[in-house]
Amino acid sequence: MRWVLGSLALILGFGGSLFLLENALGTQRDLPLACLPGPLPREAALYSNGALEIPLCRKARVRMVLEGTLAQGRGPWAMVVEGGRVLWQGEVRGRREVRVEATGEGTLALAFTNDLYQPPEDRNLFLRELTVEPR
């Protein structure tokens, strides 16, 4: 009888732990993504997959001049996101100007998602210029 009660307690404890762990580590879709204002980058280089945060935190028209280096005939795939919204995405071959309207409701970010390094080819993404105008 003790063995059965001990096993039952172990199973309930383990199940409860998994439930609490899933809730603790799960995504909170109802919470807004906070934006903390800070200095804006003038230029940046992304040499591998990643993102550059642009702590704008206000309504604005944003102009970015991007430059990409090709590898295997393809340029870097870039995305401009604000909070959970994609404002722009596309391949950057050579220089490309991107304009987006920021709402200020989340952190603005420039993401690079398809890095490739096979010498002598190296796919990279560069932010050459960032201009922000109030809306």
Side-chain angles (χ1 to χ4, degrees):
M1 184 66 157
R2 288 183 182 172
W3 185 83
V4 172
L5 289 176
S7 297
L8 183 60
L10 179 67
I11 290 170
L12 288 175
F14 186 68
S17 298
L18 287 177
F19 175 76
L20 293 174
L21 183 64
E22 180 181 338
N23 286 337
L25 299 177
T27 57
Q28 300 290 330
R29 297 181 198 279
D30 298 338
L31 298 176
L33 298 173
C35 184
L36 301 172
L40 300 178
R42 292 180 185 264
E43 295 182 327
L46 294 169
Y47 294 107
S48 63
N49 289 338
L52 170 69
E53 288 187 8
I54 303 168
L56 189 58
C57 305
R58 63 184 183 270
K59 291 182 180 182
R61 289 182 183 90
V62 179
R63 178 182 162 269
M64 297 178 191
V65 176
L66 304 176
E67 186 174 346
T69 57
L70 303 180
Q72 292 185 344
R74 301 193 66 200
W77 188 262
M79 298 173 63
V80 178
V81 298
E82 183 180 35
R85 295 182 320 116
V86 176
L87 303 178
W88 177 87
Q89 62 181 331
E91 184 179 9
V92 180
R93 301 173 66 90
R95 280 192 174 246
R96 182 166 189 172
E97 184 176 301
V98 174
R99 294 178 182 265
V100 296
E101 300 274 332
T103 64
E105 296 175 6
T107 299
L108 193 67
L110 170 64
F112 171 35
T113 61
N114 69 333
D115 183 37
L116 179 67
Y117 177 66
Q118 287 184 332
E121 297 183 314
D122 190 5
R123 186 181 300 145
N124 297 310
L125 179 66
F126 302 95
L127 173 65
R128 296 296 187 198
E129 191 179 326
L130 176 67
T131 307
V132 176
E133 297 175 357
R135 230 175 24 142

